[in-house]
Coordinates of all heavy atoms in Angstrom, one line a residue:
M1 N 16.9 -3.0 -2.7 CA 16.1 -3.1 -3.9 C 15.1 -2.0 -3.9 O 14.5 -1.7 -2.9 CB 15.4 -4.5 -3.9 CG 16.2 -5.6 -4.2 SD 15.3 -7.1 -4.5 CE 14.6 -7.5 -2.9
L2 N 14.8 -1.5 -5.1 CA 13.8 -0.5 -5.3 C 13.1 -0.7 -6.6 O 13.7 -0.9 -7.6 CB 14.5 0.9 -5.4 CG 13.7 2.1 -5.7 CD1 12.7 2.4 -4.6 CD2 14.6 3.3 -5.9
G3 N 11.8 -0.7 -6.5 CA 11.0 -0.9 -7.8 C 9.7 -1.5 -7.6 O 9.4 -2.0 -6.5
A4 N 8.9 -1.4 -8.6 CA 7.5 -2.1 -8.6 C 7.7 -3.5 -9.1 O 8.5 -3.8 -10.0 CB 6.6 -1.3 -9.5
V5 N 6.9 -4.4 -8.5 CA 7.0 -5.8 -8.9 C 5.6 -6.3 -9.1 O 4.6 -5.8 -8.6 CB 7.7 -6.7 -7.9 CG1 9.1 -6.2 -7.8 CG2 7.0 -6.6 -6.5
S6 N 5.4 -7.4 -9.8 CA 4.1 -8.0 -10.0 C 3.8 -8.8 -8.8 O 4.6 -9.1 -7.9 CB 4.1 -9.0 -11.2 OG 4.9 -10.1 -11.0
S7 N 2.5 -9.1 -8.6 CA 2.1 -9.9 -7.4 C 2.7 -11.3 -7.4 O 2.9 -11.9 -6.4 CB 0.5 -10.0 -7.4 OG 0.1 -10.6 -8.6
D8 N 3.0 -11.8 -8.6 CA 3.6 -13.1 -8.7 C 5.0 -13.2 -8.1 O 5.4 -14.2 -7.5 CB 3.6 -13.6 -10.1 CG 2.3 -13.9 -10.7 OD1 1.3 -14.1 -9.9 OD2 2.1 -13.8 -11.9
S9 N 5.8 -12.1 -8.2 CA 7.1 -12.1 -7.8 C 7.3 -11.4 -6.5 O 8.4 -11.5 -5.9 CB 8.0 -11.5 -8.9 OG 7.6 -10.1 -9.1
F10 N 6.3 -10.8 -5.9 CA 6.5 -10.0 -4.7 C 6.9 -10.9 -3.5 O 7.9 -10.5 -2.8 CB 5.2 -9.3 -4.3 CG 5.3 -8.6 -3.0 CD1 5.8 -7.3 -3.0 CD2 4.9 -9.1 -1.8 CE1 5.9 -6.6 -1.8 CE2 5.0 -8.5 -0.6 CZ 5.6 -7.2 -0.6
D11 N 6.3 -12.0 -3.3 CA 6.6 -12.9 -2.1 C 8.1 -13.3 -2.2 O 8.8 -13.4 -1.2 CB 5.7 -14.1 -2.1 CG 4.3 -13.7 -1.6 OD1 4.2 -12.6 -0.9 OD2 3.4 -14.4 -1.9
T12 N 8.6 -13.6 -3.4 CA 10.0 -14.1 -3.6 C 10.9 -12.9 -3.2 O 11.9 -13.1 -2.4 CB 10.2 -14.5 -5.0 OG1 9.3 -15.6 -5.3 CG2 11.7 -15.0 -5.2
L13 N 10.7 -11.8 -3.8 CA 11.6 -10.6 -3.5 C 11.5 -10.2 -2.0 O 12.5 -9.8 -1.4 CB 11.3 -9.5 -4.4 CG 11.6 -9.7 -5.9 CD1 11.2 -8.6 -6.7 CD2 13.1 -10.0 -6.1
H14 N 10.3 -10.3 -1.5 CA 10.1 -9.9 0.0 C 10.9 -10.9 0.8 O 11.5 -10.5 1.8 CB 8.6 -10.0 0.3 CG 8.2 -9.5 1.6 ND1 7.1 -10.0 2.2 CD2 8.8 -8.7 2.5 CE1 7.0 -9.4 3.4 NE2 8.0 -8.6 3.6
S15 N 10.9 -12.2 0.5 CA 11.6 -13.2 1.2 C 13.1 -12.9 1.1 O 13.8 -13.0 2.1 CB 11.3 -14.6 0.7 OG 12.0 -15.5 1.4
Y16 N 13.6 -12.6 -0.1 CA 15.0 -12.3 -0.2 C 15.5 -11.1 0.6 O 16.5 -11.1 1.3 CB 15.4 -12.0 -1.7 CG 15.4 -13.2 -2.6 CD1 15.2 -13.0 -4.0 CD2 15.7 -14.4 -2.2 CE1 15.2 -14.1 -4.9 CE2 15.7 -15.5 -3.0 CZ 15.5 -15.3 -4.4 OH 15.5 -16.4 -5.2
S17 N 14.6 -10.1 0.6 CA 15.0 -8.9 1.4 C 15.1 -9.2 2.9 O 16.0 -8.7 3.6 CB 14.0 -7.7 1.1 OG 12.8 -7.9 1.7
N18 N 14.2 -10.0 3.4 CA 14.2 -10.3 4.8 C 15.4 -11.3 5.1 O 16.0 -11.1 6.2 CB 12.9 -10.9 5.2 CG 11.8 -9.9 5.3 OD1 12.0 -8.8 5.5 ND2 10.6 -10.4 5.0
T19 N 15.6 -12.2 4.2 CA 16.7 -13.2 4.5 C 18.1 -12.5 4.5 O 18.9 -12.8 5.4 CB 16.7 -14.3 3.4 OG1 15.5 -15.0 3.4 CG2 17.9 -15.2 3.6
F20 N 18.3 -11.6 3.6 CA 19.6 -10.9 3.5 C 19.6 -9.5 4.1 O 20.6 -8.8 4.0 CB 20.0 -10.8 2.0 CG 20.2 -12.1 1.3 CD1 19.3 -12.6 0.4 CD2 21.2 -13.0 1.7 CE1 19.4 -13.8 -0.2 CE2 21.3 -14.2 1.1 CZ 20.4 -14.6 0.1
H21 N 18.6 -9.2 4.9 CA 18.5 -7.9 5.6 C 18.8 -6.8 4.7 O 19.5 -5.9 5.0 CB 19.4 -7.9 6.8 CG 19.1 -8.9 7.8 ND1 19.6 -8.9 9.1 CD2 18.3 -10.0 7.8 CE1 19.1 -9.9 9.8 NE2 18.3 -10.6 9.0
M22 N 18.1 -6.8 3.5 CA 18.3 -5.8 2.5 C 16.9 -5.1 2.3 O 15.9 -5.7 2.0 CB 18.6 -6.5 1.2 CG 18.8 -5.7 0.0 SD 19.3 -6.6 -1.5 CE 18.2 -8.0 -1.5
P23 N 16.9 -3.7 2.4 CA 15.7 -3.0 2.3 C 15.1 -3.2 0.9 O 15.8 -3.3 -0.1 CB 16.1 -1.5 2.4 CG 17.4 -1.6 3.2 CD 18.1 -2.9 2.8
F24 N 13.8 -3.3 0.9 CA 13.0 -3.5 -0.4 C 11.9 -2.4 -0.4 O 11.0 -2.5 0.4 CB 12.4 -4.9 -0.4 CG 11.5 -5.2 -1.5 CD1 11.6 -4.6 -2.8 CD2 10.4 -6.1 -1.3 CE1 10.8 -4.9 -3.8 CE2 9.5 -6.4 -2.4 CZ 9.7 -5.8 -3.6
V25 N 12.1 -1.4 -1.2 CA 11.2 -0.3 -1.3 C 10.4 -0.4 -2.6 O 10.9 -0.5 -3.6 CB 12.0 1.1 -1.3 CG1 11.0 2.2 -1.3 CG2 12.9 1.1 -0.1
T26 N 9.1 -0.4 -2.4 CA 8.2 -0.6 -3.6 C 6.9 0.4 -3.4 O 6.5 0.6 -2.3 CB 7.7 -2.0 -3.7 OG1 6.9 -2.2 -4.8 CG2 7.0 -2.5 -2.5
P27 N 6.4 0.8 -4.5 CA 5.2 1.7 -4.4 C 3.9 0.9 -4.2 O 2.8 1.4 -4.0 CB 5.1 2.4 -5.7 CG 5.8 1.5 -6.7 CD 6.9 0.8 -5.9
W28 N 4.0 -0.5 -4.1 CA 2.8 -1.3 -4.1 C 3.0 -2.5 -3.3 O 4.1 -3.2 -3.3 CB 2.4 -1.7 -5.5 CG 1.4 -2.7 -5.6 CD1 0.0 -2.5 -5.6 CD2 1.6 -4.1 -5.7 NE1 -0.6 -3.7 -5.7 CE2 0.3 -4.7 -5.8 CE3 2.7 -5.0 -5.8 CZ2 0.1 -6.1 -5.9 CZ3 2.5 -6.3 -5.8 CH2 1.2 -6.9 -5.9
F29 N 2.1 -2.9 -2.4 CA 2.1 -4.2 -1.7 C 0.8 -4.9 -2.1 O -0.2 -4.3 -2.3 CB 2.0 -3.9 -0.2 CG 3.3 -3.8 0.5 CD1 4.5 -3.8 -0.1 CD2 3.3 -3.8 1.9 CE1 5.7 -3.7 0.6 CE2 4.5 -3.7 2.6 CZ 5.7 -3.6 1.9
P30 N 0.9 -6.2 -2.2 CA -0.4 -7.0 -2.4 C -1.2 -6.9 -1.2 O -0.8 -6.5 -0.1 CB 0.1 -8.4 -2.7 CG 1.5 -8.5 -2.1 CD 2.1 -7.1 -2.1
E31 N -2.5 -7.3 -1.3 CA -3.4 -7.2 -0.2 C -3.0 -8.0 1.0 O -3.1 -7.6 2.1 CB -4.8 -7.7 -0.7 CG -5.5 -6.8 -1.6 CD -6.8 -7.3 -2.1 OE1 -7.5 -8.0 -1.3 OE2 -7.1 -7.0 -3.3
K32 N -2.4 -9.2 0.8 CA -2.0 -10.1 1.9 C -0.5 -10.2 1.8 O 0.0 -10.8 0.8 CB -2.7 -11.4 1.8 CG -4.2 -11.4 2.0 CD -4.7 -12.7 2.1 CE -6.2 -12.7 2.1 NZ -6.9 -12.3 3.3
V33 N 0.2 -9.7 2.8 CA 1.7 -9.8 2.8 C 2.1 -10.8 3.9 O 1.6 -10.7 5.0 CB 2.3 -8.4 3.1 CG1 3.8 -8.6 3.2 CG2 2.0 -7.5 2.0
L34 N 2.9 -11.8 3.6 CA 3.3 -12.8 4.5 C 4.3 -12.1 5.5 O 5.2 -11.4 5.1 CB 4.0 -14.0 3.8 CG 3.1 -14.7 2.8 CD1 4.0 -15.8 2.1 CD2 1.9 -15.4 3.5
T35 N 4.1 -12.4 6.8 CA 5.0 -11.9 7.8 C 6.3 -12.7 7.8 O 6.2 -13.9 7.4 CB 4.4 -11.9 9.2 OG1 4.0 -13.2 9.5 CG2 3.2 -10.9 9.3
P36 N 7.4 -12.1 8.1 CA 8.7 -12.9 8.1 C 8.6 -14.1 9.0 O 8.1 -14.0 10.2 CB 9.7 -11.9 8.6 CG 9.1 -10.6 8.4 CD 7.7 -10.8 8.5
S37 N 8.9 -15.3 8.5 CA 8.8 -16.5 9.3 C 9.8 -16.5 10.5 O 9.6 -17.2 11.5 CB 9.0 -17.8 8.5 OG 10.3 -17.7 7.8
S38 N 10.9 -15.8 10.4 CA 11.9 -15.7 11.5 C 11.4 -14.9 12.7 O 12.0 -15.0 13.7 CB 13.2 -15.2 10.9 OG 13.0 -13.8 10.6
G39 N 10.4 -14.1 12.5 CA 9.9 -13.3 13.5 C 10.8 -12.0 13.7 O 10.5 -11.2 14.6
L40 N 11.8 -11.8 12.8 CA 12.6 -10.7 12.9 C 12.0 -9.5 12.1 O 10.8 -9.6 11.7 CB 14.0 -11.0 12.3 CG 14.8 -12.1 13.0 CD1 16.0 -12.5 12.3 CD2 15.1 -11.7 14.5
L41 N 12.8 -8.5 11.9 CA 12.3 -7.3 11.2 C 11.9 -7.6 9.8 O 12.4 -8.5 9.1 CB 13.4 -6.2 11.2 CG 13.8 -5.6 12.5 CD1 15.0 -4.7 12.3 CD2 12.6 -4.8 13.1
D42 N 10.9 -6.8 9.3 CA 10.5 -6.9 8.0 C 11.2 -5.8 7.2 O 11.1 -4.6 7.5 CB 8.9 -6.7 7.9 CG 8.4 -7.0 6.5 OD1 9.2 -7.2 5.6 OD2 7.2 -7.0 6.4
F43 N 11.9 -6.2 6.2 CA 12.7 -5.2 5.4 C 12.0 -4.6 4.2 O 12.6 -3.9 3.5 CB 14.1 -5.8 5.0 CG 15.0 -6.0 6.2 CD1 14.9 -7.0 7.0 CD2 16.0 -5.0 6.4 CE1 15.8 -7.1 8.1 CE2 16.9 -5.1 7.4 CZ 16.8 -6.2 8.3
A44 N 10.8 -4.9 4.0 CA 10.0 -4.3 2.9 C 9.2 -3.2 3.4 O 8.6 -3.2 4.5 CB 9.1 -5.4 2.3
I45 N 9.1 -2.1 2.6 CA 8.2 -1.0 2.9 C 7.5 -0.5 1.6 O 8.1 -0.5 0.6 CB 9.1 0.2 3.5 CG1 8.2 1.3 4.0 CG2 10.2 0.6 2.6 CD1 8.9 2.3 4.8
S46 N 6.3 -0.1 1.8 CA 5.5 0.5 0.7 C 5.6 2.0 0.8 O 5.2 2.5 1.9 CB 4.1 0.0 0.7 OG 3.3 0.6 -0.3
M47 N 5.9 2.6 -0.3 CA 6.0 4.1 -0.3 C 4.8 4.8 -0.9 O 4.9 5.9 -1.2 CB 7.3 4.5 -0.9 CG 8.6 4.0 -0.2 SD 8.7 4.6 1.4 CE 9.1 6.3 1.2
R48 N 3.8 4.0 -1.1 CA 2.6 4.6 -1.8 C 1.9 5.6 -0.8 O 1.7 5.2 0.3 CB 1.6 3.5 -2.1 CG 0.4 4.0 -2.9 CD -0.4 2.8 -3.3 NE -1.8 3.0 -2.9 CZ -2.7 2.1 -3.1 NH1 -2.4 0.9 -3.6 NH2 -3.9 2.3 -2.7
P49 N 1.6 6.8 -1.2 CA 1.0 7.7 -0.3 C -0.4 7.4 0.0 O -1.1 6.7 -0.7 CB 1.1 9.0 -1.1 CG 1.1 8.6 -2.5 CD 1.8 7.3 -2.6
D50 N -0.8 7.7 1.2 CA -2.2 7.5 1.7 C -3.0 8.6 1.1 O -2.8 9.8 1.5 CB -2.2 7.5 3.2 CG -3.6 7.1 3.7 OD1 -4.5 6.7 2.9 OD2 -3.8 7.3 5.0
Y51 N -3.9 8.3 0.2 CA -4.7 9.4 -0.4 C -6.1 9.6 0.2 O -6.8 10.5 -0.2 CB -4.8 9.1 -1.9 CG -5.3 7.7 -2.2 CD1 -6.7 7.4 -2.2 CD2 -4.5 6.7 -2.5 CE1 -7.2 6.1 -2.5 CE2 -4.9 5.4 -2.8 CZ -6.3 5.1 -2.7 OH -6.7 3.9 -3.0
H52 N -6.4 8.8 1.2 CA -7.8 9.0 1.8 C -7.9 10.3 2.4 O -9.0 10.9 2.4 CB -8.0 7.8 2.8 CG -8.0 6.5 2.2 ND1 -7.0 5.7 2.2 CD2 -9.0 5.8 1.5 CE1 -7.3 4.5 1.6 NE2 -8.5 4.6 1.1
R53 N -6.9 10.8 3.1 CA -6.9 12.1 3.8 C -7.1 13.2 2.7 O -7.9 14.1 2.9 CB -5.6 12.3 4.6 CG -5.5 13.7 5.2 CD -6.6 14.2 6.2 NE -7.0 13.2 7.1 CZ -8.2 13.3 7.7 NH1 -9.0 14.3 7.6 NH2 -8.6 12.3 8.5
A54 N -6.5 13.1 1.6 CA -6.7 14.1 0.5 C -8.1 14.1 0.0 O -8.6 15.2 -0.3 CB -5.7 13.8 -0.6
I55 N -8.7 13.0 -0.1 CA -10.1 12.9 -0.6 C -11.0 13.6 0.5 O -11.9 14.5 0.1 CB -10.6 11.5 -0.8 CG1 -9.8 10.9 -2.0 CG2 -12.1 11.4 -1.0 CD1 -10.0 9.4 -2.2
I56 N -10.8 13.3 1.7 CA -11.6 13.9 2.8 C -11.4 15.4 2.8 O -12.4 16.2 2.9 CB -11.3 13.3 4.1 CG1 -11.8 11.8 4.1 CG2 -11.9 14.1 5.3 CD1 -11.3 11.0 5.3
D57 N -10.2 15.9 2.7 CA -9.9 17.3 2.7 C -10.5 18.0 1.6 O -11.0 19.2 1.7 CB -8.4 17.5 2.7 CG -7.7 17.2 4.0 OD1 -8.4 17.0 5.0 OD2 -6.4 17.1 4.0
T58 N -10.5 17.4 0.4 CA -11.2 18.0 -0.8 C -12.7 18.2 -0.6 O -13.2 19.2 -0.9 CB -10.9 17.2 -2.1 OG1 -9.4 17.1 -2.2 CG2 -11.5 17.8 -3.3
V59 N -13.3 17.1 -0.1 CA -14.7 17.2 0.2 C -15.1 18.3 1.2 O -16.0 19.1 1.0 CB -15.3 15.8 0.7 CG1 -16.7 15.9 1.2 CG2 -15.1 14.8 -0.4
R60 N -14.3 18.4 2.2 CA -14.5 19.4 3.2 C -14.2 20.8 2.7 O -15.0 21.8 2.9 CB -13.6 19.2 4.4 CG -14.1 18.0 5.3 CD -13.2 17.9 6.5 NE -13.8 16.8 7.3 CZ -13.1 16.1 8.2 NH1 -11.8 16.4 8.4 NH2 -13.6 15.2 8.9
Y61 N -13.2 21.0 1.9 CA -12.8 22.3 1.3 C -13.9 22.9 0.4 O -14.3 24.0 0.5 CB -11.5 22.2 0.5 CG -11.1 23.4 -0.2 CD1 -10.4 24.4 0.5 CD2 -11.4 23.7 -1.5 CE1 -10.0 25.6 -0.1 CE2 -11.0 24.8 -2.1 CZ -10.4 25.8 -1.4 OH -10.0 27.0 -2.0
Y62 N -14.5 22.0 -0.4 CA -15.6 22.5 -1.3 C -16.9 22.4 -0.6 O -17.9 22.9 -1.2 CB -15.6 21.7 -2.6 CG -14.4 22.0 -3.5 CD1 -13.3 21.1 -3.6 CD2 -14.4 23.2 -4.2 CE1 -12.3 21.5 -4.5 CE2 -13.3 23.6 -5.0 CZ -12.3 22.7 -5.1 OH -11.2 23.0 -5.9
G63 N -17.0 21.9 0.5 CA -18.3 21.8 1.3 C -19.3 20.9 0.6 O -20.5 21.2 0.8
W64 N -18.9 19.9 -0.1 CA -19.8 19.0 -0.8 C -20.6 18.2 0.3 O -20.1 17.7 1.2 CB -19.1 18.0 -1.7 CG -18.4 18.7 -2.8 CD1 -18.7 19.9 -3.4 CD2 -17.2 18.2 -3.5 NE1 -17.8 20.2 -4.4 CE2 -16.9 19.2 -4.5 CE3 -16.4 17.1 -3.4 CZ2 -15.8 19.0 -5.4 CZ3 -15.4 16.9 -4.2 CH2 -15.1 17.9 -5.2
K65 N -21.9 18.2 0.1 CA -22.8 17.4 1.0 C -23.0 16.0 0.5 O -23.3 15.1 1.3 CB -24.2 18.1 1.1 CG -24.1 19.5 1.6 CD -23.6 19.6 3.0 CE -23.5 21.0 3.5 NZ -22.6 21.2 4.5
K66 N -22.9 15.8 -0.8 CA -23.0 14.4 -1.3 C -21.9 14.2 -2.4 O -21.6 15.1 -3.1 CB -24.4 14.2 -2.0 CG -25.6 14.3 -1.1 CD -26.8 14.1 -1.9 CE -28.0 14.3 -1.0 NZ -29.3 14.1 -1.7
I67 N -21.4 13.0 -2.3 CA -20.3 12.6 -3.3 C -20.6 11.2 -3.8 O -21.2 10.4 -3.1 CB -18.9 12.8 -2.8 CG1 -18.7 11.8 -1.6 CG2 -18.6 14.2 -2.3 CD1 -17.2 11.6 -1.2
I68 N -20.0 10.9 -4.9 CA -20.0 9.5 -5.4 C -18.5 9.1 -5.5 O -17.8 9.8 -6.2 CB -20.7 9.4 -6.8 CG1 -22.2 9.7 -6.6 CG2 -20.5 7.9 -7.3 CD1 -23.0 9.7 -7.9
Y69 N -18.1 8.1 -4.8 CA -16.7 7.7 -4.8 C -16.6 6.3 -5.4 O -17.1 5.4 -4.9 CB -16.2 7.7 -3.4 CG -14.8 7.3 -3.2 CD1 -13.8 7.7 -4.0 CD2 -14.5 6.4 -2.1 CE1 -12.5 7.3 -3.8 CE2 -13.1 6.0 -1.9 CZ -12.2 6.5 -2.8 OH -10.9 6.1 -2.6
L70 N -16.0 6.3 -6.6 CA -15.8 5.0 -7.3 C -14.4 4.5 -7.0 O -13.5 5.3 -7.0 CB -16.0 5.2 -8.8 CG -17.4 5.7 -9.3 CD1 -17.4 5.9 -10.8 CD2 -18.5 4.7 -8.9
Y71 N -14.3 3.2 -6.8 CA -13.0 2.7 -6.5 C -12.8 1.3 -7.1 O -13.8 0.7 -7.5 CB -12.7 2.6 -5.0 CG -13.7 1.8 -4.3 CD1 -13.5 0.4 -4.1 CD2 -14.9 2.3 -3.8 CE1 -14.4 -0.4 -3.4 CE2 -15.8 1.5 -3.1 CZ -15.6 0.2 -2.9 OH -16.5 -0.6 -2.3
D72 N -11.6 0.9 -7.2 CA -11.2 -0.4 -7.8 C -10.6 -1.3 -6.7 O -9.8 -0.8 -5.9 CB -10.2 -0.2 -8.9 CG -9.9 -1.5 -9.6 OD1 -10.6 -2.4 -9.5 OD2 -8.8 -1.5 -10.2
S73 N -11.0 -2.5 -6.6 CA -10.5 -3.4 -5.6 C -10.8 -3.0 -4.2 O -11.9 -2.5 -4.0 CB -9.0 -3.6 -5.8 OG -8.5 -4.6 -5.0
H74 N -9.8 -3.0 -3.3 CA -10.0 -2.6 -1.9 C -9.5 -1.2 -1.6 O -9.4 -0.8 -0.5 CB -9.4 -3.6 -1.0 CG -9.9 -5.0 -1.1 ND1 -11.2 -5.3 -0.6 CD2 -9.5 -6.1 -1.7 CE1 -11.4 -6.6 -0.9 NE2 -10.4 -7.1 -1.6
D75 N -9.2 -0.4 -2.7 CA -8.7 0.9 -2.5 C -9.6 1.9 -1.8 O -9.2 2.8 -1.1 CB -8.3 1.5 -3.8 CG -7.0 0.9 -4.4 OD1 -6.4 0.1 -3.7 OD2 -6.7 1.1 -5.6
G76 N -10.9 1.6 -1.9 CA -11.9 2.6 -1.3 C -12.3 2.2 0.1 O -13.0 2.9 0.8
E77 N -11.7 1.1 0.6 CA -12.1 0.7 2.0 C -11.2 1.5 3.0 O -10.1 1.9 2.7 CB -11.8 -0.8 2.2 CG -12.8 -1.6 1.4 CD -12.5 -3.1 1.5 OE1 -11.6 -3.5 2.3 OE2 -13.3 -3.9 0.9
S78 N -11.8 1.8 4.1 CA -11.0 2.5 5.2 C -9.9 1.6 5.7 O -10.0 0.3 5.8 CB -11.9 2.8 6.3 OG -13.0 3.7 5.9
P79 N -8.8 2.2 6.1 CA -7.6 1.4 6.6 C -7.9 0.8 7.9 O -8.8 1.2 8.6 CB -6.5 2.4 6.6 CG -7.1 3.8 6.4 CD -8.5 3.6 5.9

């Protein structure tokens, strides 16, 4: 399976992918992802790029001493 899903349907599709050992590739994961109850492999993967490194590299490249970083939800928190 490949595609973006709403938070309401993510857990269902995630469960299907683990049950049927079918890869589930999505650009987005909800904040809390349930681990597979079977203890086996998790067949879901998020392909969203990590942009924190790009922000740090940009600040260093321009030599900025002060910045204002606005973010939405938990996107601005360190991993």
Side-chain angles (χ1 to χ4, degrees):
M1 282 190 292
L2 173 66
V5 296
S6 69
S7 58
D8 295 334
S9 60
F10 178 84
D11 288 336
T12 301
L13 294 173
H14 187 206
S15 178
Y16 284 156
S17 72
N18 288 330
T19 299
F20 297 110
H21 297 195
M22 176 178 48
F24 174 32
V25 181
T26 180
W28 170 86
F29 268 7
E31 291 178 33
K32 295 186 189 288
V33 176
L34 301 174
T35 56
S37 58
S38 63
L40 298 175
L41 292 175
D42 188 351
F43 284 83
I45 184 169
S46 174
M47 297 300 288
R48 185 173 127 186
D50 184 11
Y51 51 84
H52 297 100
R53 174 58 41 200
I55 293 170
I56 293 169
D57 288 347
T58 301
V59 170
R60 286 183 178 159
Y61 177 82
Y62 287 107
W64 296 333
K65 300 297 180 203
K66 295 180 181 180
I67 64 167
I68 297 173
Y69 178 44
L70 301 177
Y71 60 90
D72 182 21
S73 183
H74 297 286
D75 289 346
E77 294 180 359
S78 298

